């Protein structure tokens, strides 16, 4: 009786802040509504109130920090970002969980296909191997604190007799120098010379073995660096989005300052003009090559973090009425703009390296870690007070990867915790879950700090969290949202959230353009598949490729296996089973967002920022 009185008093104290939007009611999530539109006070049993971002800018900076990472710097930005499915997919990723409130447990859109599980598998693999780049960057950062950079000279224990500090290919080709210029080395021997930067990377940092089947000894220095970056990631994530949202303000903005400084220095180097022209002048003939489209498509999906589940996790901490439609455009503009800007920094330095070595720029331009740990160190080693510039660059590299890493871990941990209802809540639940996640990934990472670790790293990078897996995941996300759940229904959900309907072309992208592009590139990728190699020399053994395909299929098979399992376990005819399994499930924690008697279709004429676009918000003084 006493409890009923309290509930009645609570409901009586609910106030309505009246701002009209043609009579429509859109709740802000602080109060609950029943099926008939009545307000339900207090938290729903088993579902405690979800943590939200302190400010909307915290969410945007976290998205920018995750999406804008090392891929924008070390992968060449000559790939055009013209894939029509980028913006729609970002809108899907940041919106799905705002109607779901969960990633995996009891999903409204994902009851039969289990896309959430597939995303969690992909992001787990990505968290596991991506942090190795941070460990390498941290190692370079420590080595920068010396009067002479260790990768700038040839008098170190790891250098070979072929090490040459200064190349003079131009003079050698013109016949203006003799053998005496470099001791007893001839021009032919100079052509086989190796830079001290390359030898530091391969002989000191990697100490690479002859193949995947030769793991070799443990690199204890790299192991300590790996442990240090995992500790940093843990303390960035362990308290949730309240702390994460503050850290990204620094980790997401400081790299831009360093990039501007490096650009100013890069354009003043000899050969920079040729490098920039190589970047901005396209080779139209390459558009007819399938591999160009494959590389462009996979780069877009990886760069925008589509299919990884992390944007879904970040979006789940938004308030219900957050305008995620605008967020999708802002995030796409920042990401693509950063990639385009980084291209000038990259190719100004590569043009200088090509000029110094006397070779075409296409021969010094390499993708992957080699760009970040060979091309950039060369540039900073030529600057005045080189150790200072080196430390500045590698702290930028560390921050670029760090925010992507801890946001990825945040997304994975959010998915795991959402598997357990509120009644299983325990004290320090998040801290323990983050610790277990970091420890498990660290144990797997130990295989990457051995002499054969680079082969393991490339195996993860090639199969587990990029290429076909992301394309496959993105294709099914569009199919489930647009065709199973319904594109019109999803547009209605977005209208209910933001107060106006997005442009109709978004629906056509979800329904046709994006899935067709994804599947087209996926098939191109499959038909043009080539065995994995390292440096175009070492070919991976068959059992190595089997391990790689097992990692790829571990996420890709989640979708068809779950579909067959759920469909075979249901009762009735095929049509009855399909209707049951694809019927939206509105749980108690969903009903708090349902506006009573709202004709969402009438929101089509509303536009953001107008006087008519005002909302009636339910807010409880309790």
């Amino acid at each position: 009786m006493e409890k009923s009185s309290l509930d009645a008093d609570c409901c009586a104290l609910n106030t309505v802040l009246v701002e009209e939007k043609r009579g429509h009611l859109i709740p802000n999530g602080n109060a609950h509504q029943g099926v008939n539109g009545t307000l339900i006070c207090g938290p729903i049993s088993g579902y405690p109130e979800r943590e939200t971002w302190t400010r909307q800018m915290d969410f945007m900076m976290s998205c920018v920090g995750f999406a804008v990472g090392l891929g924008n710097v070390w992968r060449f930005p000559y790939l055009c970002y013209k894939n029509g499915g980028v913006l729609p997919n970002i809108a899907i990723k940041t919106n799905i969980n705002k109607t779901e409130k969960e990633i995996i447990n009891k999903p409204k859109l994902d009851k039969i296909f289990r896309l959430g599980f597939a995303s969690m598998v992909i992001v787990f693999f990505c968290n596991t191997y991506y942090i190795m780049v941070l460990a390498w960057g941290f190692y370079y950062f420590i080595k920068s604190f010396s009067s002479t950079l260790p990768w700038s000279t040839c008098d170190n224990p790891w250098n070979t007799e072929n090490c040459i500090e200064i190349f003079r290919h131009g003079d050698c080709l013109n016949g203006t120098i003799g053998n005496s210029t470099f001791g007893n080395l001839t021009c032919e021997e100079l052509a086989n010379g190796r830079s001290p930067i390359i030898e530091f990377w391969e002989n000191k940092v990697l100490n690479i073995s002859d193949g995947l089947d030769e793991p070799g000894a443990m690199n204890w220095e790299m192991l300590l660096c790996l442990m240090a970056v995992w500790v940093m990631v843990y303390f960035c994530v362990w308290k949730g989005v309240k702390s994460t949202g503050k850290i990204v303000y620094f980790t997401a903005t400081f790299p831009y300052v360093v990039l501007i400084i490096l650009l100013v220095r890069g354009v003043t180097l000899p050969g920079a003009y040729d490098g920039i022209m190589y970047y901005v002048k396209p080779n139209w003939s390459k558009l007819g090559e399938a591999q160009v489209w494959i590389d462009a498509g996979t780069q877009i999906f990886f760069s925008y973090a589509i299919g990884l589940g992390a944007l879904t996790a970040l979006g789940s901490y938004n308030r219900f009425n957050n305008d995620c439609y605008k967020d999708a455009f802002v995030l796409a503009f920042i990401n693509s703009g950063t990639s385009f800007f980084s291209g000038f920094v990259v190719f100004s330095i590569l043009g200088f390296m090509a000029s110094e070595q006397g070779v075409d720029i296409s021969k010094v331009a390499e993708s992957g870690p080699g760009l970040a740990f060979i091309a950039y160190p060369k540039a900073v080693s030529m600057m005045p007070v080189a150790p200072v510039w080196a430390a500045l660059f590698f702290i930028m590299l560390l921050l670029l990867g760090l925010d992507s890493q801890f946001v990825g871990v945040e997304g994975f941990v959010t998915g795991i915790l959402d598997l357990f209802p509120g009644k299983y809540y325990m004290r320090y639940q998040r801290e323990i879950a983050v610790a277990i996640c970091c420890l498990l990934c660290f144990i797997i990472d130990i295989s990457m700090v051995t002499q054969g670790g680079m082969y393991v790293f490339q195996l993860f990078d090639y199969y587990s969290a990029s290429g076909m897996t992301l394309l496959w995941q993105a294709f099914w996300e569009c199919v489930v949202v647009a065709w199973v759940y319904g594109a019109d229904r999803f547009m209605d959900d977005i209208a209910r959230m933001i107060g106006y309907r997005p442009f109709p072309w978004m629906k056509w992208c979800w329904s046709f353009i994006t899935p067709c592009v994804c599947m087209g590139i996926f098939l191109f990728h499959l038909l043009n598949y080539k065995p994995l190699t390292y440096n175009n020399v070492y070919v991976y053994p068959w059992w190595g490729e089997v391990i790689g395909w097992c990692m790829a299929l571990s996420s890709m098979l989640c979708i068809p296996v779950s579909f067959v399992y759920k469909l075979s376990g249901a009762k009735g005819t095929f049509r009855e089973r399909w209707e049951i399994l694809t019927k939206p499930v509105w749980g108690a924690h969903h009903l708090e967002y349902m506006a009573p008697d709202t004709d969402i279709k009438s929101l089509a004429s509303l536009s953001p920022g107008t006087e008519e676009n005002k909302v009636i918000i339910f807010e409880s003084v309790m």
Side-chain angles (χ1 to χ4, degrees):
M1 177 68 69
E2 184 177 348
K3 182 179 183 301
S4 300
S5 300
L6 289 175
D7 288 342
D9 293 339
C10 172
C11 287
L13 288 173
N14 277 290
T15 63
V16 178
L17 304 181
V18 181
E19 296 181 17
E20 294 191 10
K21 184 191 0 179
R22 298 187 179 179
H24 297 307
L25 308 179
I26 299 182
N28 68 349
N30 293 332
H32 306 290
Q33 292 179 282
V35 179
N36 59 357
T38 59
L39 290 175
I40 304 172
C41 299
I44 299 174
S45 177
Y47 292 91
E49 185 177 353
R50 193 179 189 85
E51 191 177 14
T52 58
W53 300 103
T54 304
R55 302 177 186 86
Q56 178 56 27
M57 185 57 67
D58 296 357
F59 165 69
M60 283 303 302
M61 294 302 294
S62 297
C63 287
V64 170
F66 181 69
V68 178
L70 296 174
N72 300 84
V73 175
W74 84 11
R75 295 176 186 261
F76 291 140
Y78 57 71
L79 301 175
C80 296
Y81 289 84
K82 294 182 179 180
N83 190 327
V86 172
L87 285 174
N89 268 282
I90 293 177
I92 288 176
K93 296 299 291 182
T94 56
N95 275 289
I96 284 178
N97 231 8
K98 289 173 61 182
T99 54
E100 289 309 304
K101 284 287 281 186
E102 297 172 291
I103 291 181
I104 300 176
N105 190 36
K106 295 182 181 178
K108 187 179 85 175
L109 313 183
D110 201 14
K111 186 166 56 172
I112 182 173
F113 293 95
R114 295 300 186 188
L115 297 174
F117 283 111
S119 292
M120 291 299 100
V121 173
I122 295 174
V123 79
F124 174 76
F125 284 135
C126 189
N127 292 338
T128 301
Y129 83 89
Y130 187 85
I131 200 169
M132 280 305 305
V133 185
L134 278 68
W136 293 328
F138 189 60
Y139 183 78
Y140 272 80
F141 175 71
I142 295 174
K143 293 295 182 180
S144 299
F145 292 95
S146 59
S147 57
T148 302
L149 295 176
W151 57 81
S152 62
T153 62
C154 289
D155 55 356
N156 300 290
W158 57 82
N159 293 125
T160 65
E161 58 183 12
N162 293 327
C163 181
I164 299 175
E165 296 181 16
I166 302 175
F167 290 85
R168 298 284 296 279
H169 290 288
D171 293 338
C172 192
L173 292 174
N174 295 330
T176 58
I177 64 173
N179 294 341
S180 59
T181 303
F182 295 104
N184 295 323
L185 294 178
T186 65
C187 287
E188 183 178 354
E189 290 172 329
L190 286 176
N192 297 323
R194 288 169 58 85
S195 168
I197 298 176
I198 296 177
E199 293 201 342
F200 178 80
W201 166 247
E202 293 184 352
N203 300 343
K204 176 62 177 174
V205 179
L206 299 180
N207 193 16
I208 194 166
S209 64
D210 292 331
L212 184 63
D213 55 345
E214 297 181 19
M218 185 83 67
N219 189 331
W220 294 104
E221 290 181 327
M222 288 305 306
L223 183 65
L224 292 176
C225 291
L226 178 65
M227 186 181 301
V229 292
W230 267 121
V231 170
M232 282 187 267
V233 170
Y234 175 78
F235 285 107
C236 287
V237 177
W238 71 322
K239 290 299 182 181
V241 296
K242 296 295 185 183
S243 60
T244 302
K246 304 300 182 294
I247 297 171
V248 292
Y249 278 92
F250 175 70
T251 59
T253 56
F254 179 74
Y256 288 96
V257 178
V258 181
L259 281 175
I260 293 173
I261 296 173
L262 289 175
L263 177 63
V264 173
R265 174 55 179 166
V267 296
T268 60
L269 295 171
Y273 176 79
D274 294 331
I276 293 176
M277 290 306 297
Y278 181 87
Y279 171 53
V280 298
K281 187 178 180 180
N283 185 352
W284 298 107
S285 62
K286 287 188 172 292
L287 293 179
E289 300 178 8
Q291 190 60 41
V292 173
W293 294 96
I294 293 172
D295 292 340
T298 54
Q299 167 66 15
I300 287 173
F301 284 103
F302 188 81
S303 177
Y304 282 84
I306 296 170
L308 295 177
L311 292 182
T312 312
L314 296 178
S316 71
Y317 295 110
N318 274 329
R319 292 176 175 82
F320 183 76
N321 297 115
N322 171 59
D323 194 342
C324 45
Y325 182 62
K326 289 182 180 178
D327 293 346
F329 284 90
V330 172
L331 179 58
F333 176 79
I334 294 175
N335 198 323
S336 294
T338 302
S339 298
F340 184 71
F341 175 74
S342 299
F344 289 95
V345 183
V346 171
F347 280 88
S348 63
I349 296 173
L350 293 177
F352 161 69
M353 293 185 66
S355 175
E356 185 199 44
Q357 299 179 18
V359 298
D360 186 76
I361 189 174
S362 61
K363 297 181 180 179
V364 298
E366 55 177 302
S367 183
L371 177 62
F373 299 110
I374 295 177
Y376 283 135
K378 177 64 177 178
V380 298
S381 66
M382 300 193 64
M383 296 181 181
V385 198
V388 175
W389 290 103
L392 191 64
F393 168 75
F394 285 110
I395 192 64
M396 177 206 71
L397 199 71
L398 187 63
L399 293 176
L400 270 175
L402 187 62
D403 50 12
S404 297
Q405 179 70 26
F406 68 66
V407 172
V409 173
E410 171 67 39
F412 180 77
V413 172
T414 298
I416 296 300
L417 293 180
D418 282 346
L419 282 170
F420 303 99
K423 60 183 179 182
Y424 295 109
Y425 175 80
M426 58 178 290
R427 192 179 184 186
Y428 304 119
Q429 174 178 271
R430 163 171 283 276
E431 291 84 348
I432 295 173
V434 174
I436 293 174
C437 174
C438 293
L439 181 61
L440 180 60
C441 291
F442 173 76
I443 294 173
I444 299 175
D445 287 333
I446 293 177
S447 64
M448 301 183 196
V449 294
T450 61
Q451 289 180 279
M454 187 61 185
Y455 302 107
V456 179
F457 172 86
Q458 195 175 37
L459 201 64
F460 271 80
D461 182 54
Y462 191 77
Y463 288 102
S464 66
S466 62
M468 288 187 293
T469 56
L470 294 181
L471 292 167
W472 178 262
Q473 178 74 7
F475 169 78
W476 283 108
E477 284 182 358
C478 290
V479 169
V480 170
V481 169
W483 295 101
V484 178
Y485 179 68
D488 289 326
R489 181 182 289 169
F490 192 65
M491 291 280 280
D492 293 344
D493 290 341
I494 296 177
R496 184 179 288 111
M497 298 176 204
I498 64 179
Y500 62 94
R501 292 178 66 81
F503 293 116
W505 69 269
M506 297 289 288
K507 180 176 68 174
W508 294 106
C509 286
W510 294 331
S511 303
F512 301 105
I513 300 176
T514 304
C516 289
V517 170
C518 290
M519 184 51 62
I521 299 177
F522 176 83
L523 294 176
F524 270 137
H525 203 301
L526 200 62
L527 295 174
N528 291 272
Y529 171 78
K530 296 179 181 178
L532 180 61
T533 60
Y534 177 73
N535 276 351
N536 296 321
V537 176
Y538 173 76
V539 180
Y540 277 66
W542 67 268
W543 55 268
E545 288 196 69
V546 170
I547 295 175
W549 276 107
C550 286
M551 289 190 291
L553 292 176
S554 63
S555 62
M556 295 172 66
L557 289 179
C558 284
I559 299 170
V561 169
S562 175
F563 173 78
V564 173
Y565 174 76
K566 289 288 185 179
L567 202 62
S568 61
K571 297 180 180 179
T573 64
F574 178 84
R575 183 174 182 177
E576 291 173 343
R577 296 181 186 185
W578 178 261
E579 290 179 353
I580 293 174
L581 292 173
T582 58
K583 184 179 181 180
V585 178
W586 292 96
H589 56 302
H590 294 129
L591 293 177
E592 61 174 304
Y593 299 124
M594 295 299 294
D597 303 324
T598 301
D599 182 13
I600 296 299
K601 299 293 183 183
S602 64
L603 295 176
S605 61
L606 295 184
S607 301
T610 59
E611 286 297 325
E612 60 184 358
N613 186 17
K614 295 183 179 180
V615 187
I616 297 179
I617 303 178
F618 292 107
E619 189 167 296
S620 172
V621 298
M622 297 299 288

